[in-house]
Amino acid sequence: MIQYYSTSNYQTPEGYTCAFREWKKDTADSQLHGYALGFSFGFEILNPEYKFSDYEFIQTYLSTLFGHTTIVASDDPCLPLFMKLEEQGACTVRVLPNVTFKELAKTVFDDMQVMLQHNTKDNVKIVFVSIKPQTKKSVSYPDNVPETILPKNT
């Protein structure tokens, strides 16, 4: 069976802007700080007749999770404070088990796998997710993706 691959990049003109707090780090990252994220996805097209043209669910997912949100770990001791800020309309909180970029890439990969199964009826599978928090840096999941198919850092 012939396999087809496709890649897609998602980034608003400024990126998906969100704030993070990695409270366990002993660096400035333990404080609230922001990024404008870009995303790249690799897909395996299992049915060559499938037209993978409806990417809207991916953009909706990225906007919901990373569009002007504050990402906080579920074990962050300041989580109640962030929830109060959300109640007051000061921010939109997204609580995740872990907020390192490697863990975020895995979360997006796992979520995308479920969404693709549902939205494409198993015609498309996720191969990799790459998150670009800075111009010359990216983090990809899984770790064993060949460098030749990952997006270049420019």
Side-chain angles (χ1 to χ4, degrees), residues 21 32 49 52 54 73 88 96 101 132:
R21 176 175 135 82
L32 201 57
E49 295 177 14
F52 193 31
D54 182 17
Q88 297 295 316
L96 297 174
F101 281 112
K132 196 169 187 174

Side-chain angles (χ1 to χ4, degrees), residues 11-106:
Q11 181 168 320
T12 65
E14 297 83 26
Y16 290 93
T17 56
C18 53
F20 291 85
R21 176 175 135 82
E22 297 179 64
W23 74 272
K24 292 180 184 177
K25 282 197 170 181
D26 191 22
T27 65
D29 288 344
S30 67
Q31 297 177 352
L32 201 57
H33 59 287
Y35 290 101
L37 302 177
F39 294 85
S40 295
F41 296 96
F43 302 105
E44 179 181 10
I45 313 299
L46 301 174
N47 178 351
E49 295 177 14
Y50 180 75
K51 301 212 182 333
F52 193 31
S53 58
D54 182 17
Y55 292 125
E56 192 172 319
F57 68 93
I58 297 172
Q59 196 151 351
T60 299
Y61 168 78
L62 293 174
S63 293
T64 301
L65 192 57
F66 299 108
H68 294 89
T69 60
T70 302
I71 310 292
V72 180
S74 57
D75 63 348
D76 189 322
C78 290
L79 181 58
L81 175 61
F82 283 106
M83 299 312 291
K84 283 185 180 182
L85 287 170
E86 183 175 52
E87 288 172 17
Q88 297 295 316
C91 63
T92 301
V93 177
R94 298 291 181 251
V95 180
L96 297 174
N98 195 321
V99 295
T100 66
F101 281 112
K102 187 167 268 316
E103 287 297 321
L104 288 173
K106 181 182 182 330

